[in-house]
Amino acid sequence: MSTQTIERPDATTDETTDDDTPKYFHYVKKERIAESAVMGTHVVALCGEVFPVTRSPKPGSPVCPECKKVYDSLRK
Ligand SMILES: [Zn+2]
């Protein structure tokens, strides 16, 4: 029996397109976001979505259902 510590992920968005389609918040670990900002690499969200961190999420955007599901399971 072990205790697993999960770092609380930040929410970020997939901003790979410039259209006005609704965007989800994706949960991404903070360390990944920092790394992406420095290295210019893509991040992998909890749901498996891969995208570059370019902007902060807009308040009120819906949370990615897959990320939320994974995040909730990690919190237990
Ligand atoms: Zn997601």
Side-chain angles (χ1 to χ4, degrees), residues 18-52:
D18 289 328
D19 59 30
D20 289 331
T21 56
K23 292 181 174 60
Y24 287 133
F25 282 65
H26 288 281
Y27 286 132
V28 179
K29 286 188 176 182
K30 282 183 179 177
E31 61 188 33
R32 293 288 190 178
I33 294 176
E35 183 181 294
S36 177
V38 174
M39 306 293 288
T41 54
H42 287 40
V43 295
V44 182
L46 294 183
C47 66
E49 188 81 20
V50 180
F51 54 92

Side-chain angles (χ1 to χ4, degrees), residues 9 11 34 37 39 58 62 74:
M39 306 293 288
K58 298 186 186 78
L74 291 177

